[in-house]
Coordinates of all heavy atoms in Angstrom, one line a residue:
M64 N 25.7 1.5 -33.4 CA 24.4 1.2 -33.7 C 24.0 -0.2 -33.1 O 22.8 -0.3 -32.6 CB 24.2 1.2 -35.2 CG 22.8 1.1 -35.7 SD 21.9 2.5 -35.1 CE 21.4 3.3 -36.6
R65 N 24.9 -1.1 -33.1 CA 24.6 -2.4 -32.5 C 24.3 -2.4 -31.0 O 23.4 -3.0 -30.5 CB 25.7 -3.4 -32.8 CG 25.4 -4.8 -32.4 CD 26.4 -5.8 -33.0 NE 25.9 -7.1 -32.8 CZ 26.6 -8.1 -32.4 NH1 27.8 -7.9 -32.1 NH2 26.0 -9.3 -32.3
V66 N 25.1 -1.5 -30.3 CA 24.9 -1.4 -28.9 C 23.5 -0.8 -28.6 O 22.8 -1.2 -27.7 CB 26.0 -0.5 -28.3 CG1 25.8 -0.1 -26.9 CG2 27.4 -1.2 -28.4
R67 N 23.1 0.2 -29.4 CA 21.8 0.8 -29.2 C 20.7 -0.2 -29.4 O 19.8 -0.2 -28.6 CB 21.7 2.0 -30.2 CG 20.4 2.7 -30.0 CD 20.4 4.0 -30.8 NE 19.1 4.7 -30.6 CZ 18.6 5.5 -31.4 NH1 19.2 5.8 -32.6 NH2 17.5 6.1 -31.1
R68 N 20.8 -1.1 -30.4 CA 19.8 -2.1 -30.6 C 19.7 -3.1 -29.4 O 18.7 -3.5 -29.0 CB 20.1 -2.9 -31.9 CG 19.7 -2.1 -33.1 CD 19.8 -3.0 -34.3 NE 19.7 -2.1 -35.5 CZ 20.2 -2.4 -36.7 NH1 20.9 -3.5 -36.8 NH2 20.1 -1.6 -37.7
T69 N 20.9 -3.4 -28.9 CA 20.9 -4.3 -27.8 C 20.3 -3.7 -26.5 O 19.5 -4.3 -25.8 CB 22.4 -4.7 -27.4 OG1 23.0 -5.3 -28.6 CG2 22.5 -5.7 -26.3
V70 N 20.6 -2.4 -26.3 CA 20.0 -1.7 -25.2 C 18.5 -1.6 -25.3 O 17.7 -1.9 -24.4 CB 20.6 -0.3 -25.0 CG1 19.8 0.5 -24.0 CG2 22.1 -0.4 -24.6
L71 N 18.0 -1.3 -26.5 CA 16.6 -1.1 -26.8 C 15.9 -2.5 -26.7 O 14.8 -2.6 -26.1 CB 16.3 -0.5 -28.2 CG 16.7 0.9 -28.3 CD1 16.5 1.4 -29.8 CD2 15.9 1.8 -27.4
S72 N 16.6 -3.5 -27.1 CA 16.0 -4.9 -27.0 C 15.9 -5.3 -25.6 O 14.9 -5.9 -25.1 CB 16.9 -5.9 -27.8 OG 16.4 -7.2 -27.6
T73 N 16.9 -5.0 -24.8 CA 16.9 -5.4 -23.4 C 15.8 -4.6 -22.6 O 15.1 -5.1 -21.8 CB 18.3 -5.1 -22.7 OG1 19.3 -5.8 -23.4 CG2 18.3 -5.4 -21.3
L74 N 15.7 -3.3 -22.9 CA 14.7 -2.5 -22.3 C 13.3 -3.0 -22.7 O 12.4 -3.0 -21.9 CB 14.8 -1.0 -22.7 CG 16.0 -0.3 -22.1 CD1 16.1 1.2 -22.7 CD2 15.9 -0.2 -20.6
G75 N 13.1 -3.4 -23.9 CA 11.9 -3.9 -24.4 C 11.5 -5.2 -23.6 O 10.4 -5.5 -23.2
S76 N 12.5 -6.1 -23.4 CA 12.3 -7.3 -22.7 C 11.9 -7.1 -21.2 O 11.0 -7.7 -20.7 CB 13.6 -8.2 -22.7 OG 13.9 -8.6 -24.1
V77 N 12.6 -6.1 -20.6 CA 12.3 -5.8 -19.2 C 10.9 -5.2 -19.1 O 10.1 -5.6 -18.2 CB 13.3 -4.8 -18.7 CG1 12.9 -4.2 -17.3 CG2 14.7 -5.4 -18.5
A78 N 10.5 -4.4 -20.1 CA 9.2 -3.8 -20.1 C 8.1 -4.9 -20.2 O 7.1 -4.9 -19.6 CB 9.0 -2.7 -21.2
L79 N 8.4 -5.9 -21.1 CA 7.5 -7.0 -21.3 C 7.3 -7.8 -20.1 O 6.2 -8.2 -19.7 CB 8.0 -7.8 -22.5 CG 7.1 -9.0 -22.8 CD1 5.7 -8.5 -23.3 CD2 7.7 -9.8 -24.0
V80 N 8.4 -8.1 -19.4 CA 8.4 -8.9 -18.1 C 7.6 -8.1 -17.1 O 6.7 -8.7 -16.4 CB 9.8 -9.2 -17.6 CG1 9.7 -9.8 -16.2 CG2 10.4 -10.2 -18.6
L81 N 7.8 -6.8 -16.9 CA 7.1 -6.0 -15.9 C 5.7 -5.9 -16.2 O 4.8 -6.0 -15.3 CB 7.8 -4.6 -15.8 CG 9.2 -4.6 -15.2 CD1 9.7 -3.2 -15.2 CD2 9.2 -5.2 -13.8
T82 N 5.3 -5.8 -17.5 CA 3.9 -5.7 -17.9 C 3.2 -7.1 -17.6 O 2.1 -7.1 -17.1 CB 3.8 -5.4 -19.4 OG1 4.4 -4.1 -19.6 CG2 2.4 -5.3 -19.8
S83 N 3.9 -8.1 -17.9 CA 3.4 -9.5 -17.6 C 3.1 -9.7 -16.1 O 2.1 -10.2 -15.7 CB 4.3 -10.6 -18.1 OG 4.4 -10.5 -19.5
L84 N 4.1 -9.2 -15.3 CA 3.9 -9.4 -13.8 C 2.8 -8.5 -13.3 O 2.0 -9.0 -12.5 CB 5.2 -9.0 -13.1 CG 6.4 -9.9 -13.3 CD1 7.6 -9.3 -12.6 CD2 6.1 -11.3 -12.6
G85 N 2.6 -7.4 -13.9 CA 1.5 -6.5 -13.5 C 0.2 -7.1 -13.9 O -0.8 -7.1 -13.1
A86 N 0.1 -7.7 -15.0 CA -1.1 -8.4 -15.4 C -1.4 -9.6 -14.6 O -2.6 -9.9 -14.2 CB -1.0 -8.8 -16.9
L87 N -0.4 -10.3 -14.2 CA -0.5 -11.5 -13.4 C -1.0 -11.1 -12.0 O -1.9 -11.7 -11.4 CB 0.8 -12.3 -13.3 CG 0.8 -13.5 -12.4 CD1 -0.2 -14.5 -12.9 CD2 2.2 -14.1 -12.3
T88 N -0.4 -10.0 -11.4 CA -0.8 -9.6 -10.1 C -2.3 -9.1 -10.1 O -3.1 -9.4 -9.3 CB 0.1 -8.4 -9.7 OG1 1.4 -8.9 -9.6 CG2 -0.3 -7.9 -8.3
A89 N -2.7 -8.4 -11.2 CA -4.0 -7.9 -11.3 C -5.0 -9.1 -11.4 O -6.1 -9.0 -10.9 CB -4.2 -6.9 -12.4
A90 N -4.6 -10.1 -12.1 CA -5.5 -11.2 -12.4 C -5.7 -12.0 -11.1 O -6.8 -12.6 -10.9 CB -4.9 -12.1 -13.5
T91 N -4.7 -12.2 -10.3 CA -4.8 -13.0 -9.1 C -5.3 -12.2 -7.9 O -5.7 -12.8 -6.9 CB -3.4 -13.6 -8.7 OG1 -2.5 -12.6 -8.5 CG2 -2.9 -14.6 -9.8
A92 N -5.2 -10.9 -7.9 CA -5.7 -10.1 -6.8 C -7.2 -10.2 -6.6 O -7.7 -10.3 -5.5 CB -5.3 -8.6 -7.0
G93 N -8.0 -10.2 -7.6 CA -9.4 -10.4 -7.6 C -10.1 -9.3 -6.8 O -9.5 -8.2 -6.5
P94 N -11.3 -9.4 -6.4 CA -12.0 -8.4 -5.7 C -11.5 -8.2 -4.3 O -10.8 -9.1 -3.8 CB -13.5 -8.9 -5.7 CG -13.4 -10.4 -5.9 CD -12.1 -10.6 -6.7
A95 N -11.9 -7.2 -3.7 CA -11.5 -6.9 -2.3 C -11.9 -8.1 -1.4 O -12.9 -8.7 -1.6 CB -12.1 -5.6 -1.8
A96 N -11.0 -8.4 -0.5 CA -11.2 -9.5 0.4 C -12.5 -9.3 1.3 O -12.7 -8.1 1.7 CB -10.0 -9.8 1.3
A97 N -13.2 -10.3 1.6 CA -14.4 -10.2 2.5 C -13.9 -10.0 3.9 O -12.8 -10.2 4.2 CB -15.2 -11.5 2.4
D98 N -14.9 -9.5 4.7 CA -14.5 -9.3 6.1 C -14.0 -10.7 6.7 O -14.6 -11.7 6.5 CB -15.8 -8.9 6.9 CG -16.3 -7.6 6.4 OD1 -15.5 -6.8 5.9 OD2 -17.5 -7.3 6.6
P99 N -13.0 -10.6 7.6 CA -12.4 -11.8 8.2 C -13.4 -12.4 9.2 O -14.3 -11.7 9.7 CB -11.2 -11.3 8.8 CG -11.4 -9.9 9.1 CD -12.2 -9.4 8.0
C100 N -13.3 -13.7 9.4 CA -14.2 -14.3 10.4 C -13.7 -14.0 11.8 O -12.5 -13.8 12.0 CB -14.1 -15.8 10.2 SG -14.8 -16.4 8.6
G101 N -14.6 -13.8 12.7 CA -14.3 -13.5 14.1 C -14.2 -12.0 14.3 O -14.7 -11.2 13.6
F102 N -13.4 -11.7 15.4 CA -13.3 -10.2 15.7 C -12.3 -9.6 14.8 O -11.2 -10.1 14.4 CB -12.7 -10.1 17.1 CG -12.4 -8.7 17.6 CD1 -13.4 -7.9 17.9 CD2 -11.1 -8.3 17.6 CE1 -13.2 -6.6 18.3 CE2 -10.8 -7.0 18.0 CZ -11.9 -6.1 18.4
Y103 N -12.6 -8.3 14.4 CA -11.6 -7.5 13.6 C -12.0 -6.0 13.8 O -13.1 -5.7 14.3 CB -11.6 -7.9 12.1 CG -12.9 -7.5 11.4 CD1 -12.9 -6.3 10.7 CD2 -14.0 -8.4 11.3 CE1 -14.1 -6.0 9.9 CE2 -15.1 -8.0 10.6 CZ -15.1 -6.8 9.9 OH -16.3 -6.5 9.2
E104 N -11.0 -5.2 13.6 CA -11.2 -3.7 13.7 C -10.9 -3.0 12.4 O -10.0 -3.5 11.7 CB -10.3 -3.2 14.8 CG -10.6 -3.7 16.2 CD -9.6 -3.1 17.2 OE1 -8.5 -2.7 16.8 OE2 -9.9 -3.0 18.4
T105 N -11.5 -1.9 12.2 CA -11.1 -1.0 11.2 C -10.4 0.1 11.9 O -10.1 0.0 13.1 CB -12.3 -0.5 10.4 OG1 -13.2 0.3 11.3 CG2 -13.1 -1.6 9.7
G106 N -10.2 1.2 11.2 CA -9.5 2.3 11.9 C -10.3 2.9 13.1 O -9.8 3.4 14.0
S107 N -11.7 2.8 13.0 CA -12.5 3.4 14.1 C -13.5 2.5 14.7 O -14.1 2.8 15.8 CB -13.2 4.6 13.5 OG -14.0 4.2 12.4
D108 N -13.8 1.4 14.1 CA -14.9 0.5 14.6 C -14.4 -0.9 14.8 O -13.5 -1.4 14.2 CB -16.0 0.5 13.6 CG -16.7 1.8 13.4 OD1 -17.2 2.3 14.4 OD2 -16.6 2.4 12.3
A109 N -15.1 -1.6 15.7 CA -14.9 -3.0 16.1 C -16.1 -3.9 15.6 O -17.2 -3.5 15.7 CB -14.7 -3.2 17.5
F110 N -15.8 -5.0 15.0 CA -16.8 -5.9 14.5 C -16.5 -7.4 14.9 O -15.4 -7.7 15.2 CB -16.8 -5.8 12.9 CG -17.1 -4.5 12.4 CD1 -16.0 -3.6 12.1 CD2 -18.4 -4.1 12.1 CE1 -16.3 -2.3 11.6 CE2 -18.6 -2.8 11.6 CZ -17.6 -2.0 11.3
H111 N -17.6 -8.2 14.8 CA -17.4 -9.6 14.8 C -18.2 -10.2 13.7 O -19.3 -9.9 13.4 CB -18.0 -10.2 16.1 CG -17.8 -11.7 16.3 ND1 -18.6 -12.6 15.7 CD2 -16.8 -12.4 16.9 CE1 -18.2 -13.8 15.9 NE2 -17.1 -13.7 16.7
N112 N -17.5 -11.1 12.9 CA -18.1 -11.7 11.7 C -18.3 -13.2 12.0 O -17.4 -13.9 12.2 CB -17.2 -11.5 10.5 CG -17.9 -12.0 9.2 OD1 -19.1 -12.2 9.2 ND2 -17.2 -12.1 8.2
H113 N -19.6 -13.6 12.1 CA -19.9 -15.0 12.4 C -20.1 -15.6 11.0 O -21.0 -15.4 10.3 CB -21.2 -15.1 13.2 CG -21.7 -16.5 13.3 ND1 -20.9 -17.5 13.6 CD2 -23.0 -17.0 13.3 CE1 -21.6 -18.7 13.7 NE2 -22.9 -18.3 13.5
C114 N -19.0 -16.3 10.6 CA -19.0 -17.0 9.3 C -19.7 -18.4 9.4 O -19.1 -19.3 10.0 CB -17.5 -17.2 8.8 SG -16.7 -15.6 8.6
T115 N -20.8 -18.5 8.8 CA -21.5 -19.7 8.8 C -22.4 -19.8 7.6 O -22.8 -18.8 7.0 CB -22.4 -19.9 10.1 OG1 -23.0 -21.2 10.1 CG2 -23.4 -18.8 10.2
S116 N -22.7 -21.0 7.2 CA -23.7 -21.2 6.1 C -24.9 -21.9 6.6 O -25.9 -22.1 5.8 CB -23.0 -22.0 4.9 OG -22.7 -23.2 5.4
D117 N -25.0 -22.2 7.9 CA -26.2 -22.9 8.4 C -27.2 -22.0 9.1 O -28.2 -22.5 9.6 CB -25.7 -24.0 9.3 CG -25.1 -23.5 10.6 OD1 -25.0 -22.3 10.8 OD2 -24.6 -24.4 11.4
G118 N -27.0 -20.7 9.1 CA -27.9 -19.8 9.7 C -27.9 -19.8 11.3 O -28.8 -19.2 11.9
S119 N -26.9 -20.4 11.9 CA -26.9 -20.5 13.4 C -26.6 -19.1 14.0 O -26.0 -18.2 13.4 CB -25.8 -21.5 13.8 OG -24.5 -21.0 13.4
R120 N -27.0 -19.0 15.2 CA -26.8 -17.8 16.0 C -25.9 -18.3 17.2 O -26.1 -19.4 17.8 CB -28.1 -17.2 16.5 CG -28.9 -16.7 15.4 CD -30.2 -16.1 15.8 NE -30.1 -15.0 16.7 CZ -29.9 -13.7 16.3 NH1 -29.8 -13.5 15.0 NH2 -29.7 -12.7 17.1
V121 N -24.9 -17.5 17.6 CA -23.9 -17.9 18.6 C -23.7 -16.8 19.6 O -24.0 -15.6 19.3 CB -22.6 -18.3 18.0 CG1 -22.7 -19.5 17.1 CG2 -21.9 -17.2 17.3
V122 N -23.3 -17.2 20.8 CA -23.0 -16.2 21.9 C -21.5 -15.9 21.8 O -20.6 -16.7 21.7 CB -23.3 -16.8 23.3 CG1 -22.9 -15.8 24.3 CG2 -24.7 -17.2 23.4
I123 N -21.2 -14.6 21.8 CA -19.8 -14.1 21.8 C -19.6 -13.3 23.1 O -20.6 -12.7 23.6 CB -19.4 -13.2 20.6 CG1 -20.3 -12.0 20.5 CG2 -19.5 -14.0 19.3 CD1 -19.8 -11.0 19.5
K124 N -18.4 -13.3 23.6 CA -18.1 -12.5 24.8 C -17.3 -11.3 24.2 O -16.3 -11.4 23.5 CB -17.2 -13.2 25.8 CG -16.9 -12.4 27.0 CD -16.0 -13.1 28.0 CE -15.7 -12.2 29.1 NZ -14.7 -12.8 30.0
V125 N -17.8 -10.1 24.6 CA -17.1 -8.9 24.1 C -16.3 -8.3 25.2 O -16.8 -8.1 26.3 CB -18.2 -7.8 23.6 CG1 -17.6 -6.6 23.1 CG2 -19.1 -8.5 22.6
D126 N -15.0 -8.1 25.0 CA -14.1 -7.5 26.0 C -14.1 -6.0 25.8 O -13.7 -5.5 24.7 CB -12.7 -8.1 25.8 CG -12.7 -9.6 25.9 OD1 -13.4 -10.1 26.7 OD2 -12.0 -10.2 25.1
V127 N -14.5 -5.3 26.9 CA -14.6 -3.8 26.8 C -13.5 -3.2 27.7 O -13.3 -3.6 28.8 CB -16.0 -3.4 27.3 CG1 -16.2 -1.9 27.1 CG2 -17.1 -4.2 26.5
A128 N -12.9 -2.1 27.2 CA -12.0 -1.3 27.9 C -12.7 -0.5 28.9 O -13.7 0.2 28.6 CB -11.1 -0.5 27.0
W129 N -12.3 -0.5 30.2 CA -12.8 0.4 31.2 C -14.3 0.2 31.5 O -14.9 1.2 31.9 CB -12.4 1.9 30.9 CG -11.0 2.1 30.6 CD1 -10.4 2.3 29.4 CD2 -9.9 2.1 31.6 NE1 -9.0 2.4 29.5 CE2 -8.7 2.3 30.9 CE3 -9.9 1.9 33.0 CZ2 -7.5 2.3 31.5 CZ3 -8.6 1.9 33.6 CH2 -7.5 2.2 32.9
A130 N -14.8 -0.9 31.2 CA -16.2 -1.2 31.5 C -16.4 -2.7 31.6 O -15.4 -3.5 31.3 CB -17.1 -0.7 30.4
A131 N -17.5 -3.2 32.1 CA -17.8 -4.6 32.2 C -17.9 -5.3 30.8 O -18.5 -4.7 29.9 CB -19.1 -4.8 33.0
D132 N -17.2 -6.5 30.7 CA -17.4 -7.3 29.5 C -18.8 -7.8 29.5 O -19.5 -7.8 30.5 CB -16.4 -8.4 29.6 CG -15.0 -8.0 29.5 OD1 -14.7 -6.9 29.2 OD2 -14.1 -8.9 29.9
Y133 N -19.3 -8.2 28.3 CA -20.7 -8.7 28.2 C -20.7 -9.7 27.1 O -19.8 -9.9 26.3 CB -21.6 -7.5 27.9 CG -21.4 -6.8 26.6 CD1 -22.0 -7.2 25.4 CD2 -20.6 -5.7 26.5 CE1 -21.8 -6.6 24.2 CE2 -20.3 -5.1 25.3 CZ -21.0 -5.5 24.1 OH -20.8 -4.9 23.0
E134 N -21.8 -10.5 27.2 CA -22.1 -11.5 26.1 C -23.2 -11.0 25.2 O -24.1 -10.2 25.6 CB -22.5 -12.8 26.8 CG -21.3 -13.5 27.5 CD -21.7 -14.9 28.0 OE1 -22.9 -15.3 28.0 OE2 -20.8 -15.6 28.4
R135 N -23.1 -11.4 24.0 CA -24.1 -11.0 23.0 C -24.4 -12.1 22.0 O -23.5 -12.9 21.6 CB -23.5 -9.8 22.2 CG -24.3 -9.3 21.1 CD -23.7 -8.0 20.5 NE -24.5 -7.6 19.4 CZ -24.1 -6.6 18.6 NH1 -23.1 -5.9 18.9 NH2 -24.8 -6.3 17.5
C136 N -25.6 -12.3 21.6 CA -26.0 -13.2 20.6 C -25.9 -12.6 19.3 O -26.5 -11.5 19.0 CB -27.5 -13.7 20.9 SG -28.1 -14.9 19.7
V137 N -25.2 -13.3 18.3 CA -25.0 -12.7 17.0 C -25.4 -13.8 16.0 O -25.2 -15.0 16.2 CB -23.6 -12.2 16.7 CG1 -23.2 -11.1 17.6 CG2 -22.6 -13.4 16.8
G138 N -26.0 -13.3 14.9 CA -26.4 -14.2 13.8 C -25.3 -14.2 12.7 O -24.2 -13.6 12.9
P139 N -25.6 -14.9 11.6 CA -24.6 -14.9 10.5 C -24.3 -13.5 10.0 O -25.1 -12.6 10.0 CB -25.3 -15.7 9.4 CG -26.4 -16.5 10.2 CD -26.8 -15.6 11.3
G140 N -23.0 -13.4 9.6 CA -22.6 -12.1 9.0 C -21.9 -11.2 10.1 O -21.5 -11.6 11.2
T141 N -21.7 -10.0 9.7 CA -20.9 -9.0 10.5 C -21.8 -8.2 11.4 O -22.9 -7.7 11.0 CB -20.2 -8.1 9.5 OG1 -19.3 -8.8 8.7 CG2 -19.4 -7.1 10.3
S142 N -21.4 -8.1 12.7 CA -22.1 -7.3 13.7 C -21.2 -6.2 14.2 O -20.0 -6.5 14.5 CB -22.5 -8.2 14.9 OG -23.4 -9.3 14.5
W143 N -21.7 -5.0 14.2 CA -20.9 -3.9 14.8 C -20.9 -4.0 16.3 O -22.0 -4.1 16.9 CB -21.5 -2.6 14.3 CG -20.8 -1.4 14.7 CD1 -19.6 -0.9 14.3 CD2 -21.2 -0.4 15.7 NE1 -19.2 0.2 14.9 CE2 -20.2 0.6 15.8 CE3 -22.3 -0.3 16.6 CZ2 -20.3 1.6 16.7 CZ3 -22.4 0.7 17.4 CH2 -21.4 1.7 17.5
L144 N -19.8 -3.9 16.9 CA -19.7 -4.0 18.4 C -19.5 -2.6 19.0 O -19.8 -2.5 20.2 CB -18.5 -4.9 18.7 CG -18.6 -6.3 18.2 CD1 -17.4 -7.1 18.6 CD2 -19.9 -7.0 18.7
G145 N -19.0 -1.7 18.3 CA -18.8 -0.3 18.9 C -17.5 0.3 18.4 O -16.9 -0.2 17.4
S146 N -17.1 1.3 19.1 CA -15.8 2.0 18.7 C -14.6 1.1 19.0 O -14.5 0.4 20.0 CB -15.7 3.2 19.6 OG -14.4 3.8 19.5
A147 N -13.7 1.1 18.1 CA -12.4 0.3 18.3 C -11.6 0.8 19.5 O -10.9 0.1 20.1 CB -11.6 0.4 17.0
A148 N -11.8 2.1 19.9 CA -11.2 2.6 21.1 C -11.7 2.0 22.4 O -11.0 1.9 23.4 CB -11.3 4.1 21.1
K149 N -13.0 1.5 22.3 CA -13.6 0.9 23.5 C -13.6 -0.6 23.6 O -13.6 -1.2 24.6 CB -15.1 1.4 23.6 CG -15.2 2.9 23.8 CD -16.6 3.4 23.9 CE -16.7 4.9 24.1 NZ -18.1 5.3 24.2
I150 N -13.7 -1.2 22.4 CA -13.8 -2.7 22.3 C -12.4 -3.3 22.2 O -11.7 -3.0 21.2 CB -14.7 -3.1 21.2 CG1 -16.1 -2.5 21.3 CG2 -14.8 -4.7 21.2 CD1 -16.8 -2.8 22.6
Q151 N -12.0 -4.2 23.1 CA -10.7 -4.8 23.0 C -10.7 -6.1 22.3 O -9.6 -6.6 21.9 CB -10.1 -5.0 24.4 CG -9.9 -3.6 25.1 CD -9.4 -3.8 26.5 OE1 -9.8 -4.7 27.2 NE2 -8.4 -3.0 26.9
G152 N -11.8 -6.7 22.1 CA -11.8 -8.0 21.5 C -13.2 -8.7 21.6 O -14.1 -8.2 22.3
A153 N -13.4 -9.8 21.0 CA -14.6 -10.6 21.1 C -14.3 -12.0 20.6 O -13.5 -12.2 19.7 CB -15.7 -10.0 20.3
H154 N -14.9 -13.0 21.3 CA -14.7 -14.4 20.9 C -15.9 -15.2 21.1 O -16.7 -14.9 22.0 CB -13.5 -14.9 21.6 CG -13.6 -15.0 23.1 ND1 -13.3 -13.9 23.9 CD2 -14.1 -16.0 23.9 CE1 -13.6 -14.3 25.2 NE2 -14.0 -15.5 25.2
Y155 N -16.0 -16.3 20.4 CA -17.1 -17.2 20.5 C -17.0 -18.0 21.8 O -15.9 -18.5 22.2 CB -17.0 -18.2 19.3 CG -17.9 -19.4 19.3 CD1 -19.2 -19.3 19.4 CD2 -17.4 -20.7 19.1 CE1 -20.1 -20.4 19.4 CE2 -18.2 -21.8 19.1 CZ -19.5 -21.6 19.3 OH -20.4 -22.7 19.2
T156 N -18.1 -18.1 22.5 CA -18.1 -18.8 23.8 C -18.3 -20.3 23.8 O -18.2 -21.0 24.7 CB -19.2 -18.2 24.7 OG1 -20.5 -18.5 24.2 CG2 -19.0 -16.7 25.0
G157 N -18.7 -20.8 22.6 CA -18.9 -22.2 22.4 C -20.4 -22.6 22.6 O -20.8 -23.7 22.6
R158 N -21.3 -21.5 22.7 CA -22.7 -21.8 22.9 C -23.5 -21.2 21.8 O -23.1 -20.1 21.2 CB -23.2 -21.1 24.2 CG -22.4 -21.7 25.4 CD -23.1 -21.2 26.8 NE -23.6 -19.9 26.8 CZ -22.9 -18.8 27.3 NH1 -21.7 -18.9 27.7 NH2 -23.5 -17.6 27.3
A159 N -24.6 -21.8 21.5 CA -25.6 -21.3 20.5 C -26.6 -20.5 21.3 O -26.7 -20.6 22.5 CB -26.2 -22.4 19.7
C160 N -27.3 -19.7 20.6 CA -28.4 -18.9 21.2 C -29.6 -18.8 20.3 O -29.6 -19.2 19.2 CB -27.9 -17.5 21.6 SG -27.2 -16.5 20.2

């Protein structure tokens, strides 16, 4: 009987620790992360996120597969660039527009 109580006590302790870790993970995970700054892709689309709080507009260079690269003026927030299969990247040129 004593062995059974020890096993049950140990299992209860393990369950308490795992429950606590789950609650801690859920508490620190928070809402879904915002779009990252700069160029990023999803499974099918390419985007550029101009992260700013001053309302500025900047020029980005878009690198295109099998076509000419181009520059584009983007404002604050996320801009859709096209299909992830066609867009290879994008970066800030250092100029405002």
Side-chain angles (χ1 to χ4, degrees):
M64 190 60 116
R65 184 165 195 228
V66 171
R67 185 174 180 201
R68 283 187 191 155
T69 303
V70 169
L71 290 177
S72 176
T73 302
L74 288 176
S76 297
V77 169
L79 181 60
V80 168
L81 292 177
T82 301
S83 297
L84 288 175
L87 179 62
T88 302
T91 58
D98 297 336
C100 296
F102 176 76
Y103 69 96
E104 295 179 338
T105 63
S107 59
D108 295 300
F110 300 91
H111 184 277
N112 187 12
H113 175 41
C114 297
T115 183
S116 60
D117 66 5
S119 64
R120 299 177 61 80
V121 297
V122 178
I123 61 170
K124 181 179 178 189
V125 181
D126 302 319
V127 184
W129 306 104
D132 296 344
Y133 64 91
E134 291 186 348
R135 178 174 171 183
C136 180
V137 296
T141 301
S142 299
W143 182 74
L144 302 177
S146 166
K149 294 180 181 178
I150 306 299
Q151 295 180 318
H154 63 273
Y155 171 55
T156 63
R158 301 188 325 262
C160 53

